Amino acid sequence: MASEPYAPGAGTGRGARSAVEPLPHTLCWMLSGLRTAAVRALGDGARTEPPPGAPRLLAELAEAPAGRLDYRIPLVGPMKAGKSTLLNAIICQDLLPARGPAMTVLPTHVVPVRSAPPAPPVLTLHPATLAVLACLGALLAAPARRSALTAATRRHPQLAAVAIRAGRGGTPYLPARVTGREAVRGALTEVNDLLRLAALALPQEEMARETGALRAPEVTVPVPWLTSAPAGGRLVLADTPGPDEELRPGLLSPFVAAEVRRAHEVLVVADATRRGSTAEAMTGRLVADEGPGPGATFTVVNRSVPCAPGPDPALPVRTTAHQALAAAGVLWPGEDGDDGAGAAHRLLRTVFPLDWQERTALPAERLHTLARQSWDGSGLPRLMDVHLRDRARSPGGWALAALLARVGEFTGPPPAPPPNTPPLAPPDGVTVLARRRARLVHAARDHYAGLPIEWR
């Protein structure tokens, strides 16, 4: 649903923090040595020409010894497949803005954290993004843009409010930090509506030049299914626009491709009512070309009747995201969101769309039971159990496993030393890198024993 525009001075208080248990000191020390060996073996771009893929690997290794590794899973899919609603259901609150017409333009990063002590979500906007928004607001306020603004709002009435503010001299003040569910939703609506309006009203060259510096907003949000601080890093879920958006050809696809390129795994959201569509094929090609590979891509079929869990985790999970989100509002009411009556009415409208008003007097115990049944039957529990819960509890371990697998692509297994024979010459750089990687694999596997991670 659409939100009220962000009001200056609102939602700037304290909120959730991304508390992370760092990687063990031993693993950090070994990662530092691995990075040194990788620079010598693969080149740092100055003395030698690095092989393809090495610059990204070296950049990730540069951040690794700090003790935190983020594990990234973007949600990608056709326009209006329900990505924002599904992500809202995963975090158990109606936080990301969604509505009938397309909403998302700029990807949004969502970082789940533990929910105790209770705290509202926090949105952080990068200074570069704030500068771009201010520049676009100034460009839209020019008198020469009035006719373009009028034409854009005639085709897209939902942008009328932001167009009026832009025509009067820009957008409301957006701070770098916004706290609270309603304030976060309003600020994200303001950001995406302004970008959509600028894409419709400004020349293509001007828009492309300004949006190159955009950085994804980041929301830190407590979730009820995390009872301890994430270990070794953060799980970063990304809400993305549909690559088939008809906003302007080729404008949003780079945003989606950038998220997919950085991903450890990709969650493809398919709409059960549009299976086999051209839009779904377009999403599949983008993930195949830019993504981490078939083994790191899984599919969720939204707006589908969930079926009994099967033995094969590779099969698509079927979900009804709007049902799960309505149930979550009753099971886990937010700190600053709607009151209990509003959440109860949404659940009743979802479960009993024809006669929900006749059931508003249900006792609290019966309503809670109905919410639990709706949650369990929505398909979200299987999605969490198969693909998300372990990653959220120990994102550092999952990210470390993926990082070591990429190092292995450049080295292969370390050569075994010849028995009872002294080395004739110092090992080359790739051999040193392979041996350090093998030691780190064994140490990480011992530390993360019990996690379903393939340590290659």
Side-chain angles (χ1 to χ4, degrees), residues 187-323:
L188 288 174
T189 300
E190 188 75 21
V191 169
N192 284 284
D193 280 356
L194 177 63
L195 291 172
R196 185 173 295 275
L197 181 64
L200 294 168
L202 295 178
Q204 183 170 355
E205 301 79 10
E206 199 168 25
M207 183 66 183
R209 182 174 64 251
E210 297 298 335
T211 56
L214 285 171
R215 297 294 180 269
E218 182 176 286
V219 184
T220 302
V221 53
V223 294
W225 43 269
L226 264 182
T227 57
S228 60
R234 309 177 307 166
L235 174 65
V236 180
L237 305 171
D239 185 25
T240 63
D244 59 322
E245 255 268 26
E246 296 180 356
L247 185 61
R248 185 173 280 173
L251 179 63
L252 300 185
S253 293
F255 291 154
V256 183
E259 295 296 331
V260 172
R261 279 194 295 269
R262 300 179 64 194
H264 294 91
E265 291 181 289
V266 177
L267 190 160
V268 177
V269 182
D271 186 346
T273 65
R274 294 185 290 164
R275 295 309 307 271
S277 64
T278 303
E280 189 175 276
M282 182 185 300
T283 302
R285 287 195 299 270
L286 187 148
V287 173
D289 293 341
E290 306 287 351
T297 301
F298 53 96
T299 301
V300 174
V301 182
N302 193 30
R303 300 191 180 103
S304 174
V305 177
C307 55
D312 187 0
L315 293 176
V317 177
R318 297 182 177 272
T319 63
T320 309
H322 77 280
Q323 175 181 317

